Amino acid sequence: MKLICGLGNPGREYERHRHNIGFMVVEALLSRARAELNQEKFAAKVGQGTLAGERILFVEPQTFMNLSGRSVAEAARFYKIAPEDVLVIHDELDLPLGRLQLKAGGGSGGHNGLKSIVASLGSEAFIRLRFGIDKPEGPNARERVADYVLSNFDDGERRQLDELKDRAMDMTECWVREGLSVAMNRFNRKA
């Protein structure tokens, strides 16, 4: 069994925000896996399905981003899923919109959801699907990051989202079926 977690914030007011792209990709994956998030446990919405012939536990933490690790760690421990079999899908400021990248381990890059997962899981070895959302530019850009990630995609960005979510789903399915190195070699090229 593998665990696929999408990061985001719960509540209708957040659902279209850049920070919630992890939730958006997981919700798209549910149809491929013939699954639904039909349980609430581990302070998360969870559901099980099959992707590429493998049983998958889908997790959407409902703790808000900064405490996401609690849900991931509790679910992984309960189902005895190793960190290497955990995929976390998250927004990435350091990649332009349109760039998706798989990677194993590494730091949090200042992403509070990843910081929480590393702390709660006690490991950096989980897999990340970094979904580029770009970052604010110009004066005071660093101070505007929180407002930026908690804002909706603009019209031009929204037109690209379906294609990008499809690519993220293909990357995830390849990781499940063929492993990380194959998926990285196939998908981490610049678009």
Side-chain angles (χ1 to χ4, degrees):
M1 175 180 262
K2 294 187 184 301
L3 188 159
I4 296 176
C5 171
L7 292 186
N9 286 312
R12 292 186 63 86
E13 67 270 29
Y14 298 104
E15 66 187 19
R16 297 186 179 278
H17 289 177
R18 290 175 174 87
H19 224 20
N20 275 40
I21 195 65
F23 280 8
M24 293 177 208
V25 173
V26 161
E27 285 159 14
L29 275 165
L30 292 173
S31 63
R32 280 196 190 184
R34 290 190 265 328
E36 54 186 58
L37 300 175
N38 56 4
Q39 294 183 298
E40 291 199 17
K41 54 186 182 180
F42 316 119
K45 290 181 180 178
V46 299
Q48 292 187 40
T50 303
L51 200 59
E54 176 94 30
R55 263 182 62 218
I56 305 291
L57 178 69
F58 293 98
V59 176
E60 280 188 359
Q62 299 296 295
T63 57
F64 289 94
M65 186 69 73
N66 297 359
L67 300 173
S68 299
R70 172 183 161 201
S71 301
V72 174
E74 286 180 16
R77 285 188 190 103
F78 183 84
Y79 288 98
K80 296 176 178 51
I81 299 171
E84 301 78 28
D85 289 326
V86 173
L87 175 71
V88 176
I89 303 167
H90 66 90
D91 58 302
E92 180 58 63
L93 286 164
D94 290 331
L95 293 176
L97 184 72
R99 183 102 159 84
L100 307 176
Q101 182 185 68
L102 280 164
K103 81 178 250 191
S108 66
H111 193 291
N112 289 330
L114 295 178
K115 279 183 196 172
S116 174
I117 294 170
V118 168
S120 296
L121 204 52
S123 173
E124 293 182 350
F126 59 93
I127 312 306
R128 301 108 193 273
L129 196 164
R130 304 167 72 213
F131 194 112
I133 61 167
D134 218 345
K135 60 184 161 194
E137 298 292 330
N140 304 321
R142 291 182 78 171
E143 290 80 31
R144 295 195 330 262
V145 165
D147 289 336
Y148 178 76
V149 299
L150 294 175
S151 66
N152 292 344
F153 289 100
D154 66 33
D155 289 341
E157 293 167 332
R158 269 197 302 279
R159 283 191 284 276
Q160 298 177 62
L161 277 184
D162 285 341
E163 179 186 327
L164 295 173
K165 286 189 289 187
D166 284 346
R167 188 154 29 117
M169 290 190 293
D170 291 345
M171 293 170 82
T172 300
E173 204 163 346
C174 184
W175 168 72
V176 170
R177 179 181 291 114
E178 300 180 66
L180 182 64
S181 59
V182 171
M184 287 172 64
N185 286 334
R186 188 170 300 157
F187 290 100
N188 280 3
R189 300 181 308 271
K190 288 191 179 177

